[in-house]
Amino acid sequence: MRGLMNKLVSRSLSVAGKWQQQQLRRLNIHEYQGADLMNKYGINVPKGVAVSTIDEVKEAVKSAFPNENELVVKSQILAGGRGLGTFQNGFKGGVHIVKADQVEDIAGKMLGQILVTKQTGPQGKVVGKVYLCEKLSLVNEMYFAITLDRKAAGPLIIACSKGGTSIEDLAEKYPDMIIKVPVDVFKGITDEDAARVVDGLAPKVADRNDSIEQVKKLYKLFCERDCTLLEINPLAETSSNQLVAADAKLNFDDNAAFRQKEIFALRDPSQEDPREVAAAKADLNYIGLDGEIGCMVNGAGLAMATMDIIKFHGGTPANFLDVGGNASEGQVVEAFKILTSDDKVKAILVNIFGGIMKCDVIASGIVNAAKQVALKVPVVVRLEGTNVDQGKRILKESGMTLITAEDLDDAAEKAVKAASK
């Protein structure tokens, strides 16, 4: 029995960790925005201009790159694999090196079009801007990243003398070339830390002292701007002996939005799941999944248990939606709007344990949501806890066609059955 309990506890902690990880929302900004930010910190980046129309493309080529024979045209979406992606109009590749007189034509095939990559899913993402960059003569490519490491309890710098491909591929091909340098969050980065990183990068032509300063500037940006990830791939050396952040990805901690207003003003909602954007505005915790049973629950632990038991009965959850412990009636209405906006949802399971969250508030929200939203799918409701009798009475008197359940197991079984009809 003890062994079984240990297994169950271990599994629960594992599942909790996965869901906690998925709940974290981290701001992701476009490449051109990251380059502009790094430039402000004195970090070497290629000269570039972001444009959103063909007229802007013409003007940028004429004013910013009058003497350039070739330029790099990069589609701007919040997903990796752009270079190997394909547009839904048939045009291949989201990154091209072209002659200056071809820039307008190539940019025209990208702007306003949907680019599908290995990270976007089949639906792809729309390209609202392209980034025109100078073409650098690179003599060496390396990998550099700073992330937050739970084991090190602070920032961790990862570096590799090989770059230009994914860190997963690098770790597989060159595991001995990857170095990790933990940084004491209280002391900050030291000259010795930065030197270890540079030695791991093993630059061939860039000045060692200049490279150390670049590493320190990158760390300063990471800390001052509340980054959760700063990844440069490749960190390159040019023929002019300069270390340059040729392509970078920056993520920021959403919990720091209150002190990073300038950064969070860069958020591009057009690149995000519209349901998650709506949920964030309503102060709801929502993550879209691929199942057919929409879940509305209060509390992350109860939400995980609900999804687990749906799977146990043969169904799949369509989302993670936690209305929290003090949701208002209006938030419950918004939650229903989000759930019903998903065409894949075949049934909705409301599972509320009233503690701080009162069952009558949830019940009133369900009734009002039904008045505002055309509920075309069956709704299974399980209420328990504070004001449960009032909540059940509100639902009964509403005249709504609801499927009630006595406990979680009963609710999940009925939701799976309803979704399969």
Side-chain angles (χ1 to χ4, degrees):
M1 184 68 179
R2 183 177 293 176
L4 176 62
M5 284 302 296
N6 286 338
K7 285 182 181 178
L8 288 172
V9 170
S10 296
R11 180 179 175 278
S12 297
L13 289 173
S14 173
V15 171
K18 288 176 183 175
W19 279 104
Q20 186 180 43
Q21 200 172 32
Q22 290 189 45
Q23 268 189 284
L24 294 174
R25 291 174 56 81
R26 293 180 175 126
L27 173 67
N28 188 4
I29 63 175
H30 287 289
E31 177 189 4
Y32 75 92
Q33 296 167 327
D36 182 58
L37 182 60
M38 288 191 290
N39 185 51
K40 291 176 181 177
Y41 275 78
I43 298 157
N44 300 326
V45 294
K47 181 181 178 181
V49 179
V51 292
S52 54
T53 66
I54 294 300
D55 287 339
E56 289 179 4
V57 172
K58 293 177 184 176
E59 180 59 30
V61 172
K62 187 190 303 181
S63 59
F65 307 103
N67 302 316
E68 298 290 338
N69 295 321
E70 289 184 306
L71 291 174
V72 185
V73 184
K74 298 182 174 184
S75 55
Q76 297 295 285
I77 61 170
L78 296 180
R82 293 172 298 166
L84 297 175
T86 301
F87 287 87
Q88 288 185 354
N89 62 7
F91 185 60
K92 294 188 181 298
V95 178
H96 287 264
I97 300 173
V98 299
K99 300 291 184 183
D101 58 4
Q102 297 176 310
V103 170
E104 187 180 328
D105 177 56
I106 297 300
K109 293 176 180 177
M110 296 181 178
L111 285 169
Q113 300 299 321
I114 295 174
L115 178 60
V116 180
T117 78
K118 61 182 180 181
Q119 291 188 13
T120 64
Q123 74 279 5
K125 288 184 181 289
V126 66
V127 176
K129 287 182 182 288
V130 296
Y131 191 35
L132 309 181
C133 296
E134 63 176 325
K135 178 179 175 289
L136 298 175
S137 177
L138 306 181
V139 298
N140 186 29
E141 295 185 355
M142 300 156 286
Y143 177 90
F144 176 92
I146 310 176
T147 187
L148 294 172
D149 182 61
R150 189 181 294 272
K151 186 177 179 182
L156 180 73
I157 300 178
I158 303 169
C160 183
S161 56
K162 299 282 186 181
T165 186
S166 71
I167 187 61
E168 293 84 2
D169 292 339
L170 292 172
E172 186 178 342
K173 294 178 182 177
Y174 313 106
D176 297 335
M177 291 186 179
I178 295 176
I179 68 152
K180 299 176 182 178
V181 180
V183 180
D184 188 318
V185 71
F186 298 106
K187 293 180 181 176
I189 192 167
T190 64
D191 289 339
E192 291 75 18
D193 292 333
R196 281 179 61 198
V197 173
V198 171
D199 290 342
L201 291 168
K204 296 176 180 177
V205 297
D207 180 80
R208 187 171 186 272
N209 290 332
D210 288 347
S211 299
I212 288 172
E213 288 305 310
Q214 286 288 298
V215 169
K216 289 164 71 175
K217 288 175 181 177
L218 286 163
Y219 181 81
K220 182 181 181 184
L221 186 161
F222 181 87
C223 292
E224 288 187 356
R225 295 298 187 161
D226 290 298
C227 293
T228 55
L229 174 69
L230 191 164
E231 183 181 44
I232 302 174
N233 191 19
L235 178 64
E237 291 180 276
T238 67
S239 55
S240 58
N241 301 347
Q242 197 176 41
L243 199 66
V244 176
D247 196 355
K249 177 180 181 180
L250 288 86
N251 288 353
F252 304 85
D253 185 354
D254 271 13
N255 291 315
F258 72 97
R259 66 175 172 227
Q260 299 291 352
K261 291 182 171 59
E262 179 187 350
I263 297 293
F264 279 78
L266 302 176
R267 175 167 255 147
D268 184 355
S270 71
Q271 296 287 305
E272 300 178 26
D273 184 330
R275 297 168 300 175
E276 293 187 13
V277 174
K281 287 181 180 177
D283 200 22
L284 299 168
N285 293 316
Y286 176 92
I287 298 168
L289 302 172
D290 296 323
E292 74 283 350
I293 298 175
C295 305
M296 186 170 77
V297 190
N298 66 318
L302 188 59
M304 288 184 287
T306 303
M307 289 184 290
D308 269 355
I309 204 160
I310 285 173
K311 290 285 287 184
F312 177 77
H313 284 288
T316 50
N319 63 274
F320 172 101
L321 198 162
D322 171 16
V323 297
N326 57 352
S328 66
E329 199 175 295
Q331 284 175 300
V332 176
V333 172
E334 286 302 313
F336 259 93
K337 288 181 180 178
I338 293 166
L339 291 177
T340 54
S341 69
D342 188 344
D343 293 334
K344 296 193 296 292
V345 170
K346 305 301 180 188
I348 295 173
L349 171 54
V350 180
N351 183 24
I352 300 297
F353 185 81
I356 301 173
M357 184 73 252
K358 296 179 177 63
C359 292
D360 57 322
V361 173
I362 289 289
S364 296
I366 293 172
V367 173
N368 286 330
K371 293 176 182 176
Q372 298 181 39
V373 181
L375 289 175
K376 299 177 182 178
V377 297
V379 178
V380 179
V381 181
R382 180 255 181 167
L383 300 177
E384 194 59 68
T386 307
N387 294 352
V388 64
D389 292 333
Q390 294 96 310
K392 288 180 177 179
R393 186 175 66 250
I394 290 169
L395 293 177
K396 186 177 181 180
E397 293 174 355
S398 71
M400 291 176 62
T401 304
L402 299 171
I403 303 170
T404 57
E406 292 304 313
D407 55 37
L408 179 51
D409 191 63
D410 182 39
E413 195 170 359
K414 287 178 176 177
V416 171
K417 185 177 179 180
S420 62
K421 287 183 179 179

